[in-house]
Amino acid sequence: MLKKKIAVIFGGCSPEYEVSLNSAVSVVENLNRDLYEVVLVGITREGNWFRYFGGTEGIKNDTWHLDKDCRPAVFSPDRNSSALIEFCEDRFVTTQIDVVFPVLHGKNGEDGTVQGLLELAGIPFVGCDTLSSSLCMDKDIAHKIAQIAGVRVPPSITAMKYAGIEEIIKKTETLRYPLFVKPARAGSSFGITRAGRQEELYEAVREAFKHDSKIVIEEGIEGFEVGCAILGNDELIIGEVDEIELQQGFFDYNEKYTLASSKIHMPARIDLRTAERIRETALKLYKALCCRGFARVDMFLTPAGNIVFNEINTIPGFTAHSRYPKMLGGIGMSFGEILERLISLAQKD
């Protein structure tokens, strides 16, 4: 049987560059080599694209881009070719690609930019399309769509960078502290600050604007965060619900990747009926935001039992220890099976 050529894109011009490297290593090491020939495409922090011929060790230690065999590369925009073009000194080489697996997180990877490039080129790819990726990345728009779908969201205001800070602060007078100030279109909690009183809000707004020209300021939700892994286009598979137990602060970037003062419970410590309501809400959000392939839906569960939408990650962390594969592992799916299903879904779309 002829092997499918799977182009795995990793790295990226994004604050989540290192997270992408870790996820990509797990994906590459778990792809079935009897079924797939893996083509590695790395993007440097500066945004340069290369075909990488080395192993995962170079990705792990971030020396991949120093490999002497790396070639500058681009995907052909010709919809009839489905090719990766590699530039050598005196010629170029084309490699036919069957499916692209973008293992990119955050800005310039999870936000619809790469997805738009691949849609233009007519190359099948794993995960949400351009529209869904961009909708989910924008916390303001995602929350508006969630509300229309009948799902609760935190009370919030949205502000643009051109607005004066006093005007922004005045808009928050209807909100109750503590407040969370977030860049509207940044991933992994970059630039998010908890403000317990108005005096802390000024610096929190300035910090958020360092990461985006649009910010969201929302009320903190009493309770704890739960997540739901969903896989599929039309027929959807839902994993076990997990729970984040926090000892202090909030689930910021450092906490997500160190778990220094938090713990992930999978399955969540909730009754079966509540878990089912969370799955139903996650499905509603997945469909409302036009997701396909896979996504992790994050929500809050309040002491009163209310479910409140937080965000959708269209390319969640993808190491063997990440929440998404662990939740699907809770219903019996192996890491390799998840990858095979995702590639199959990309080819069917």
Side-chain angles (χ1 to χ4, degrees), residues 249-300:
F250 67 98
F251 208 51
D252 61 9
Y253 177 80
N254 181 66
E255 197 61 46
K256 282 183 179 181
Y257 298 105
T258 66
L259 296 179
S261 64
S262 60
K263 186 175 181 180
I264 307 293
H265 297 277
M266 202 294 301
R269 299 171 299 174
I270 54 179
D271 62 76
L272 294 177
R273 176 57 190 142
T274 301
E276 185 57 30
R277 288 197 299 118
I278 289 168
R279 291 190 190 95
E280 290 170 358
T281 304
L283 277 175
K284 186 181 292 186
L285 290 162
Y286 190 89
K287 293 174 181 178
L289 284 152
C290 309
C291 295
R292 71 167 198 191
F294 70 120
R296 192 190 74 229
V297 185
D298 295 338
M299 297 153 283
F300 298 106

Side-chain angles (χ1 to χ4, degrees), residues 51-334:
R51 167 80 186 272
Y52 170 59
F53 292 88
T56 54
E57 193 60 35
I59 302 175
K60 285 178 186 176
N61 58 32
D62 194 20
T63 58
W64 67 270
H65 49 90
L66 304 176
D67 192 297
K68 60 181 176 60
D69 293 325
C70 269
R71 299 174 181 169
V74 296
F75 286 104
S76 170
D78 184 349
R79 295 181 66 84
N80 296 313
S81 67
S82 295
L84 180 73
I85 303 174
E86 304 156 33
F87 298 93
C88 305
E89 289 185 2
D90 57 352
R91 61 193 174 92
F92 63 87
V93 176
T94 61
T95 302
Q96 298 301 122
I97 300 297
D98 292 299
V99 173
V100 171
F101 199 136
V103 189
L104 303 164
H105 303 302
K107 190 176 181 180
N108 297 321
E110 194 176 352
D111 56 3
T113 49
V114 169
Q115 291 76 12
L117 173 69
L118 295 171
E119 284 187 7
L120 182 67
I123 304 175
F125 60 91
V126 168
C128 292
D129 64 13
T130 304
L131 175 63
S132 180
S133 298
S134 58
L135 289 176
C136 291
M137 193 69 177
D138 190 312
K139 295 175 177 66
D140 169 46
I141 293 175
H143 279 208
K144 285 181 169 66
I145 293 172
Q147 279 186 298
I148 293 169
V151 178
R152 297 185 187 214
V153 300
S156 67
I157 64 106
T158 303
M160 304 301 293
K161 199 166 189 174
Y162 56 73
I165 193 163
E166 292 297 338
E167 177 187 340
I168 295 171
I169 300 298
K170 187 169 181 57
K171 286 175 68 177
T172 67
E173 290 177 355
T174 59
L175 303 178
R176 294 184 303 173
Y177 287 86
L179 300 178
F180 285 87
V181 185
K182 306 178 178 183
R185 298 160 293 201
S188 275
S189 301
F190 279 104
I192 296 180
T193 305
R194 180 185 185 278
R197 58 186 190 277
Q198 191 180 86
E199 291 75 19
E200 297 172 343
L201 202 53
Y202 291 85
E203 186 53 40
V205 168
R206 293 188 186 97
E207 177 61 26
F209 277 135
K210 291 178 185 177
H211 299 266
D212 197 355
S213 60
K214 178 183 181 183
I215 67 171
V216 174
I217 303 175
E218 62 185 39
E219 287 186 9
I221 300 298
E222 188 181 358
F224 55 88
E225 189 171 337
V226 291
C228 199
I230 302 180
L231 187 154
N233 294 349
D234 300 315
E235 297 179 8
L236 302 178
I237 298 171
I238 313 170
E240 285 279 8
V241 176
D242 77 357
E243 168 198 345
I244 300 171
E245 180 186 10
L246 284 174
Q247 300 297 326
Q248 59 187 29
F250 67 98
F251 208 51
D252 61 9
Y253 177 80
N254 181 66
E255 197 61 46
K256 282 183 179 181
Y257 298 105
T258 66
L259 296 179
S261 64
S262 60
K263 186 175 181 180
I264 307 293
H265 297 277
M266 202 294 301
R269 299 171 299 174
I270 54 179
D271 62 76
L272 294 177
R273 176 57 190 142
T274 301
E276 185 57 30
R277 288 197 299 118
I278 289 168
R279 291 190 190 95
E280 290 170 358
T281 304
L283 277 175
K284 186 181 292 186
L285 290 162
Y286 190 89
K287 293 174 181 178
L289 284 152
C290 309
C291 295
R292 71 167 198 191
F294 70 120
R296 192 190 74 229
V297 185
D298 295 338
M299 297 153 283
F300 298 106
L301 181 65
T302 73
N306 295 320
I307 299 166
V308 182
F309 176 48
N310 183 20
E311 63 179 356
I312 292 186
N313 291 269
T314 54
I315 308 182
F318 227 91
T319 72
H321 305 291
S322 296
R323 294 171 64 200
Y324 182 88
K326 278 197 166 186
M327 284 188 272
L328 287 174
I331 61 168
M333 292 190 74
S334 71

